[in-house]
């Protein structure tokens, strides 16, 4: 397979350079995954618009989905990034591990959300009816269901880009779930 190097600012289009500058200001650096999107003239801007669009899910709820999806898809980059972001959103190390496993014993509503995200991803959208019913019983709405499915798609795009390009992780590396649970 071809080797993918993380493109530097001077190697990307002017439009992507402007996005790199904005990311530097907002985040303090350009994450390698975002830089990899910049191989495309349009993908980085399109993805950031999609990822930052309005949703009925709160930031902490989005991280529950991101962690469950990234674990199913085996994306070390996204697991590492969302472990760090999960901590910034108030999750403990133990809670992050549970969310990666697609559950949340510490919160019934988040448990239903994490189980749904895991099930959607594992079954490529052919979600088990009992999982959907559990989601609604926990207090989620049809709007939340659609927004969760959109978020699963959003995260799957990044998982697939990383899993295909194998770009280096520039966050503290998340340990494999089975190594942590052992």
């Amino acid at each position: 397979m071809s080797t993918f190097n993380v493109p530097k600012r001077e190697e990307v289009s002017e439009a992507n350079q402007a996005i790199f500058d904005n990311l530097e200001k907002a985040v303090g650096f350009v994450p390698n995954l975002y830089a990899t999107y910049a191989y495309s003239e349009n993908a980085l801007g399109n993805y950031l618009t999609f990822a930052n669009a309005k949703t009925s899910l709160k930031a902490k709820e989005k991280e529950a989905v991101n962690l469950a999806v990234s674990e199913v898809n085996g994306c070390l980059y996204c697991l590492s990034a969302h472990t760090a972001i999960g901590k910034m959103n108030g999750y403990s190390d133990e809670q992050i591990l549970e969310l990666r496993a697609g559950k949340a014993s510490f919160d019934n509503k988040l448990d239903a959300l994490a189980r749904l995200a895991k099930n959607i991803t594992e079954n490529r959208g052919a979600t088990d009816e009992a999982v959907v019913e559990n989601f609604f019983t926990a207090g989620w709405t049809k709007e939340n269901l659609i927004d969760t499915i959109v978020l699963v798609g959003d995260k799957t795009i990044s998982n697939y880009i990383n899993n295909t390009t194998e770009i280096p992780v520039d966050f503290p590396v998340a340990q494999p779930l089975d190594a942590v649970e052992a």
Side-chain angles (χ1 to χ4, degrees):
M1 181 163 92
S2 298
T3 302
F4 277 81
N5 296 313
V6 178
K8 297 182 181 354
R9 185 185 185 281
E10 60 274 7
E11 299 171 330
V12 302
S13 70
E14 278 188 41
N16 283 329
Q17 286 178 7
I19 295 171
F20 277 29
D21 294 343
N22 289 335
L23 286 166
E24 280 278 350
K25 289 176 195 160
V27 183
F29 72 109
V30 177
N32 286 345
L33 182 62
Y34 287 171
T36 302
Y37 272 94
Y39 273 112
S40 165
E41 172 70 27
N42 301 301
L44 179 59
N46 290 344
Y47 178 74
L48 290 174
T49 297
F50 181 50
N52 293 314
K54 290 181 182 179
T55 178
S56 62
L57 301 175
K58 297 180 177 110
K60 198 167 184 172
E61 296 163 349
K62 287 174 66 172
E63 289 314 308
V65 173
N66 290 335
L67 288 161
V69 172
S70 296
E71 184 67 40
V72 171
N73 287 331
C75 181
L76 181 60
Y77 188 96
C78 293
L79 284 170
S80 300
H82 291 289
T83 292
I85 298 167
K87 288 179 184 179
M88 289 189 291
N89 277 281
Y91 287 123
S92 70
D93 289 332
E94 295 76 24
Q95 291 171 332
I96 288 169
L97 292 175
E98 276 197 57
L99 292 168
R100 286 176 55 188
K103 57 188 176 182
S105 66
F106 56 92
D107 182 300
N108 186 55
K109 196 168 181 184
L110 281 175
D111 185 68
L113 177 64
R115 288 179 188 278
L116 177 74
K118 179 181 180 183
N119 193 269
I120 289 169
T121 308
E122 286 176 334
N123 295 309
R124 298 186 328 226
T127 314
D128 293 341
E129 189 176 322
V131 173
V132 175
E133 284 308 313
N134 180 58
F135 179 77
F136 290 135
T137 299
W140 296 100
T141 66
K142 290 179 181 176
E143 178 185 20
N144 300 140
L145 174 68
I146 299 303
D147 286 346
T148 299
I149 295 167
V150 168
L151 183 54
V152 168
D154 161 349
K155 193 47 43 202
T156 298
I157 293 167
S158 289
N159 294 165
Y160 286 8
I161 287 176
N162 179 75
N163 290 348
T164 299
T165 63
E166 298 179 347
I167 50 105
V169 177
D170 51 354
F171 291 89
V173 177
Q175 296 303 304
L177 191 57
D178 57 356
V180 178
E181 290 179 333

